[in-house]
Amino acid sequence: MKIQIIGPSGSGKTTLGKYISSQLNVNFIDTDTYFWKDVKNKVPNSISDREAIFLEDLNKDTNNWVVSGSIFSWNKVHLMDRDIIIYLSVEEEMRIERLITRTNKTKNPSELDPNFLTWAKTYFSETDVKKGGTYICHMAELKVIEEKTDAKIIYLSGEETVEINFKKMNQI
């Protein structure tokens, strides 16, 4: 089963993705790890480098995996072959609280950058569909997927437990 989880930063995509992959005993792929080339998260990977790393991870088991994070802005082809797409949302105040907590705990320099939280707060207000990681971008992705694939699109709440969301996914 090929599962992709998208949604705003702080919605719980990685947490849910790890849980689903452990329950299904399949590979878990976190696309956030593809963005940065260096350990200090100052130099981004090129699109071709991200694609190469992603394909390497996909090839570990080409038919069974869970991917957290959207790849649509840099790899439209591979988002089109999913069995299930989960859009995970969470109430805005809770999401920002999660991000602040995560930022305070993280060793990830990109999240320590004050611009990260500023960017994350624009998730719903950004109107440029070309800017990845935003609500308008995610809705455009889902529309394309719905029109061009047979993937099941499931809308879940990051405010629910991973156990509840896993059960809801399995009921579809």
Side-chain angles (χ1 to χ4, degrees):
M1 183 170 298
K2 300 175 184 179
I3 302 169
Q4 180 94 29
I5 305 169
I6 66 171
S9 185
S11 62
K13 298 179 301 292
T14 301
T15 303
L16 180 60
K18 286 179 179 178
Y19 182 82
I20 293 170
S21 73
S22 72
Q23 295 301 301
L24 298 177
N25 196 29
V26 299
N27 190 31
F28 172 71
I29 300 170
D30 185 356
T31 62
D32 286 349
T33 63
Y34 302 148
F35 193 77
W36 299 107
K37 182 178 292 229
D38 65 325
V39 295
K40 293 186 178 182
N41 296 356
K42 297 289 182 188
V43 180
N45 272 317
S46 67
I47 300 297
S48 60
D49 286 346
R50 288 182 218 171
E51 288 176 341
I53 299 165
F54 183 60
L55 289 176
E56 183 179 316
D57 284 344
L58 285 182
N59 286 330
K60 291 176 183 172
D61 183 342
T62 57
N63 293 313
N64 297 291
W65 32 256
V66 177
V67 176
S68 75
S70 178
I71 60 167
F72 201 73
S73 64
W74 53 270
N75 190 319
K76 290 176 178 37
V77 173
H78 285 94
L79 195 58
M80 304 307 278
D81 69 345
R82 304 299 187 252
D83 299 309
I84 296 174
I85 304 280
I86 296 171
Y87 176 78
L88 192 63
S89 64
V90 68
E91 189 273 322
E92 186 69 358
E93 188 175 317
M94 177 183 280
R95 185 176 78 83
I96 298 304
E97 283 178 29
R98 287 179 179 179
L99 289 173
I100 291 169
T101 300
R102 183 171 87 188
T103 300
N104 290 335
K105 291 180 181 178
T106 190
K107 294 185 177 12
N108 181 338
S110 69
E111 289 188 5
L112 293 172
D113 184 337
N115 293 326
F116 170 74
L117 199 53
T118 300
W119 166 81
K121 289 179 179 179
T122 67
Y123 180 77
F124 288 106
S125 62
E126 179 58 60
T127 58
D128 185 351
V129 73
K130 294 178 186 171
K131 292 195 176 175
T134 62
Y135 179 77
I136 194 167
C137 176
H138 287 151
M139 293 303 107
E141 291 171 17
L142 292 173
K143 183 177 180 182
V144 169
I145 291 163
E146 186 175 44
E147 291 172 353
K148 297 189 176 192
T149 76
D150 293 326
K152 294 176 184 158
I153 299 174
I154 304 170
Y155 295 85
L156 297 175
S157 171
E159 296 170 36
E160 297 283 1
T161 66
V162 291
E163 294 85 2
I164 289 172
N165 278 331
F166 182 69
K167 284 180 186 177
K168 286 180 178 181
M169 181 194 83
N170 280 325
Q171 292 172 349
I172 305 289

